[in-house]
Amino acid sequence: MKMMVDARESNSDARGVLPEDQARAEIYALLGNLFYRPPSAELLKTIATSQTLCNDGADSGFCRAWRALQEAAANADAEAVKDEFDTAFIGTGRQPVMLYGSFYLAGFLNEKPLAQLRDELTKMGLARSGSSHETEDHISALCDVMRFLIAGDQDAPPAALDVQRDFFRRHIHSWNTQLCDAVSGASQTHFYKHVALFAREFFAIEHESLDHA
């Protein structure tokens, strides 16, 4: 598996994947994409016009967040969003908003949580792509792993629910609220406030669903 690269593509032909799990995998792929690089004009249009989520008129917090993200995407300028992404998540010196689990779990980058994560990924047979410039505890990498665990690929079947649950709890649920708060509260973010709200609502559903699965 090539972390933070191939996760940008949905795995619609994965064997044995239920439609609801395929939808989960595609949301992880979308979030991984949005947090890895600024969206292209094409992706913004795809988000704005998509009919794959909440097309039944549901008024849940998740659906409200999705529709708000769609509206933001419809009104966004790709260059302005790129500037926002670079300012908020890259910056000069220390970036205003950190996207790395170690920062929220240990207070610093490249700390023990990252080492533990790398050991676990090695045991799972997963490795970071050589073309990736982010560490494995970057939120986009973690979304990539969850997508893989849910949908599998041509060489591996989907992981058991208990494996998905354990990975999500320890490596995403343990700090995603802090991340979403940081993105939402940053003065540099505008479009990404909607991304953060959508991520927050989705991760909350994941936590509840996996707990009761």
Side-chain angles (χ1 to χ4, degrees):
M1 179 180 180
K2 297 180 179 179
M3 290 174 57
M4 298 186 287
V5 177
D6 291 347
R8 304 303 167 261
E9 302 173 3
S10 65
N11 192 29
S12 58
D13 61 347
R15 293 171 295 173
V17 182
L18 297 172
E20 56 267 33
D21 287 330
Q22 185 60 45
R24 290 172 58 216
E26 290 174 357
I27 293 172
Y28 274 111
L30 174 62
L31 289 174
N33 192 327
L34 290 171
F35 281 119
Y36 185 65
R37 60 170 65 90
S40 64
E42 181 181 7
L43 179 55
L44 290 170
K45 181 178 179 180
T46 297
I47 294 170
T49 59
S50 174
Q51 299 296 318
T52 59
L53 293 176
C54 301
N55 55 10
D56 58 355
D59 193 38
S60 64
F62 171 79
C63 286
R64 289 193 296 272
W66 170 243
R67 293 181 186 117
L69 177 59
Q70 286 191 294
E71 183 177 355
N75 294 322
D77 173 77
E79 283 301 314
V81 176
K82 180 181 184 303
D83 289 343
E84 175 184 333
F85 184 97
D86 291 346
T87 302
F89 305 134
I90 299 177
T92 56
R94 172 173 161 168
Q95 54 265 59
V97 180
M98 295 288 184
L99 300 178
Y100 307 90
S102 291
F103 176 79
Y104 296 97
L105 295 173
F108 300 94
L109 299 178
N110 301 313
E111 287 292 318
K112 187 176 180 180
L114 176 57
Q116 293 172 333
L117 172 61
R118 283 174 171 164
D119 287 344
E120 181 175 343
L121 292 174
T122 297
K123 292 176 183 177
M124 295 167 67
L126 304 180
R128 183 177 62 171
S129 168
S131 63
S132 173
H133 58 273
E134 300 292 359
T135 53
E136 293 87 340
D137 63 336
H138 192 281
I139 187 60
S140 67
L142 298 171
C143 286
D144 193 354
V145 174
M146 281 300 299
R147 179 209 56 82
F148 173 77
L149 293 178
I150 295 166
D153 64 12
Q154 64 271 21
D155 299 316
L161 271 175
D162 60 337
V163 175
Q164 298 177 35
R165 181 188 302 114
D166 183 61
F167 189 89
F168 174 80
R169 281 178 176 172
R170 291 188 295 111
H171 299 300
I172 296 180
H173 179 66
S174 57
W175 63 282
N176 77 83
T177 297
Q178 295 165 273
L179 168 67
C180 292
D181 285 346
V183 176
S184 296
S187 62
Q188 298 87 354
T189 59
H190 302 284
F191 173 78
Y192 272 87
K193 293 185 192 300
H194 298 286
V195 177
L197 178 59
F198 178 65
R200 184 196 301 275
E201 293 291 338
F202 173 65
F203 291 145
I205 290 174
E206 279 287 277
H207 175 59
E208 181 176 356
S209 298
L210 288 170
D211 263 7
H212 291 89

